[in-house]
Amino acid sequence: MSINFGSIIAKPKITITSNPFLVSSPLLFFSNKTKTKPSILTAFSSMSYDKELAAAKKAASLAARLCQKVQKAILQSDVQSKSDKSPVTVADYGSQALVSYVLQRELPSELFSLVAEEDSEDLCKDAAQETLERITKLVNDILASDGSYSDSILSTDDVVKAIDCGKSEGGSQGRHWVLDPIDGTKGFLRGDQYAIALALLDEGTVVLGVLACPNLPLTSIAGGGSHHSLPGEVGCLFFSVAGGGTYMHSLDSSSAVKVQVSSIDNPEEASFFESYEAAHSMHDLSSSIAKKLGVKAPPVRIDSQAKYGALSRGDGVIYLRFPHKGYREKIWDHAAGYIVVAEAGGVVTDAAGNPLDFSKGRYLDLDTGIIVTNQKLMPSLLKAVRESIEEKVSSL
């Protein structure tokens, strides 16, 4: 059965898609008309996101299954080259189509807004027709294997429409899902770390996050442990809801354990994460900060928001990310990881100590970079960051 993904209702900075899979049921929004608003934490922690969490976990888990299948047998033709020359794979597109479709099928609302990384522009070119057909087959195979959607066989047009549901601009009003279908594409292509990162914004605030990390070991990667795939020992799913803490379970199991960030307060005992790719973060600045703090352990360099997941369970203590000048952070690169760490007791700010603001659209406007640690170490980390940045600027 071919699925009609419905019409797009235009609104300023918001793309809302009518959900054809469910009967009429209005989407509830917070009211901004009250003169006295409750605190954000109180307002959101008092709400139930049970249905949304269940849908998000299912969508991310199915997307992880698709990505695992592709990674095991990457073909040269699976890699497209976007205009910015970064690699995009069959799994990127398939993951986004799958998450978009599953969320619309699972949630009791006519309205659907998704802010996501990919669009179908390159995929709709004549040269990519074979790739599009492969993506469609993969998505249908995963849906069939789940058994929940036996009535659904998606066409190539359905897959394109599902991908392009991700064109929403987000913002401070209403609810918006935020998706990176494969965070860490280069890691994925190398056979290393990547994540399917899905979050929910409600009135501009991240209220729910799910991180599926198919190659992350179930045990700690602290102490220089391997972060590569080990059959039978890898595959984690982290999930958080505002006010509810952070939990982790195996991708193959639903038995969850609550996780907490490290309580280490001595910088000499701390370890820190940074991006694997030097192009993604200034390693020299991170090294200077670590030296000022007195960190003795070498950096642990891994791809993707898997770093947030590992940090949330105490594998490391600090995460430093300082993109090169001119780069603008996208909300899908941090939304899910942000709440996973915050609900595990961590603190996530920009380099000046400001909280991250996900309400401004598709981009994060922040000062210099992103730093993550526990509450005990944040003051000294901020001091080291400020001093290192000042030194770097004065040396130019």
Side-chain angles (χ1 to χ4, degrees):
M1 179 180 75
S2 180
I3 301 299
N4 173 16
F5 275 80
S7 58
I8 305 297
I9 303 171
K11 287 190 177 182
K13 287 198 170 185
I14 302 176
T15 300
I16 298 187
T17 307
S18 175
N19 188 338
F21 310 124
L22 300 155
V23 296
S24 264
S25 174
L27 181 65
L28 300 178
F29 299 117
F30 282 114
S31 170
N32 291 322
K33 296 179 181 179
T34 53
K35 292 182 179 180
T36 305
K37 294 179 71 176
S39 71
I40 288 176
L41 180 60
T42 301
F44 288 111
S45 63
S46 65
M47 293 189 67
S48 171
Y49 293 97
D50 292 347
K51 291 180 180 178
E52 291 83 355
L53 178 61
K57 288 174 67 178
K58 182 170 187 176
S61 296
L62 288 176
R65 193 182 303 173
L66 181 148
C67 293
Q68 287 171 308
K69 186 173 182 178
V70 175
Q71 194 183 51
K72 287 179 181 177
I74 289 180
L75 305 175
Q76 188 63 37
S77 60
D78 284 340
V79 182
Q80 297 291 320
S81 179
K82 287 194 300 189
S83 55
D84 66 358
K85 304 303 182 184
S86 64
V88 179
T89 66
V90 164
D92 258 317
Y93 292 118
S95 174
Q96 183 158 318
L98 200 53
V99 170
S100 174
Y101 177 81
V102 171
L103 288 177
Q104 291 184 75
R105 282 293 298 261
E106 293 292 320
L107 293 173
S109 168
E110 288 188 349
L111 303 178
F112 179 68
S113 175
L114 176 66
V115 185
E117 182 174 18
E118 307 300 344
D119 64 58
S120 69
E121 182 180 353
D122 292 328
L123 196 58
C124 289
K125 295 175 181 177
D126 289 342
Q129 186 60 36
E130 184 180 341
T131 300
L132 177 56
E133 290 173 359
R134 176 164 164 72
I135 292 166
T136 303
K137 183 179 185 305
L138 277 167
V139 170
N140 282 321
D141 287 348
I142 297 300
L143 290 174
S145 70
D146 177 66
S148 300
Y149 311 106
S150 57
D151 62 334
S152 304
I153 299 177
L154 275 60
S155 67
T156 54
D157 285 344
D158 291 331
V159 167
V160 166
K161 289 174 184 176
I163 292 169
D164 285 340
C165 281
K167 290 182 177 180
S168 173
E169 291 296 317
S172 61
Q173 297 180 357
R175 288 186 178 184
H176 308 280
W177 289 98
V178 180
L179 170 69
D180 194 333
I182 294 186
D183 185 39
T185 310
K186 291 182 179 179
F188 174 81
L189 292 172
R190 289 197 312 270
D192 289 344
Q193 295 303 325
Y194 67 98
I196 294 89
L198 180 60
L200 178 62
L201 294 181
D202 201 336
E203 302 295 298
T205 298
V206 184
V207 296
L208 180 157
V210 175
L211 281 178
C213 306
N215 285 345
L216 189 67
L218 293 172
T219 55
S220 176
I221 60 172
S226 171
H227 57 266
H228 294 268
S229 299
L230 295 173
E233 300 178 12
V234 300
C236 304
L237 188 138
F238 299 87
F239 60 94
S240 305
V241 174
T246 296
Y247 294 82
M248 180 195 82
H249 62 68
S250 164
L251 279 172
D252 298 323
S253 166
S254 59
S255 179
V257 294
K258 192 170 186 178
V259 296
Q260 291 283 332
V261 298
S262 170
S263 60
I264 288 175
D265 57 5
N266 181 357
E268 291 187 3
E269 299 174 9
S271 60
F272 74 96
F273 293 138
E274 63 181 356
S275 299
Y276 184 93
E277 298 281 344
H280 294 170
S281 186
M282 293 183 282
H283 288 170
D284 59 337
L285 181 55
S286 296
S287 177
S288 171
I289 294 166
K291 185 175 181 180
K292 285 185 179 297
L293 274 175
V295 174
K296 295 181 178 180
V300 178
R301 292 173 178 165
I302 62 177
D303 300 282
S304 84
Q305 290 179 69
K307 290 184 285 291
Y308 281 109
L311 199 75
S312 76
R313 67 184 187 187
D315 290 9
V317 187
I318 299 167
Y319 169 31
L320 303 172
R321 180 179 170 93
F322 297 100
H324 295 273
K325 188 175 181 180
Y327 180 82
R328 293 183 72 190
E329 295 280 9
K330 289 88 169 177
I331 62 173
W332 53 75
D333 285 326
H334 299 282
Y338 161 82
I339 192 170
V340 162
V341 166
E343 285 296 323
V347 184
V348 185
T349 73
D350 69 10
N354 303 310
L356 304 189
D357 185 354
F358 293 92
S359 71
K360 304 299 184 183
R362 294 170 75 87
Y363 293 94
L364 282 172
D365 291 325
L366 43 79
D367 189 322
T368 310
I370 293 175
I371 60 177
V372 187
T373 190
N374 61 37
Q375 296 182 20
K376 296 176 182 177
L377 278 178
M378 184 55 85
S380 55
L381 176 57
L382 278 170
K383 181 174 182 293
V385 167
R386 183 175 64 251
E387 292 174 355
S388 295
I389 290 175
E390 288 173 354
E391 289 176 5
K392 186 176 181 67
V393 170
S394 63
S395 68
L396 296 178

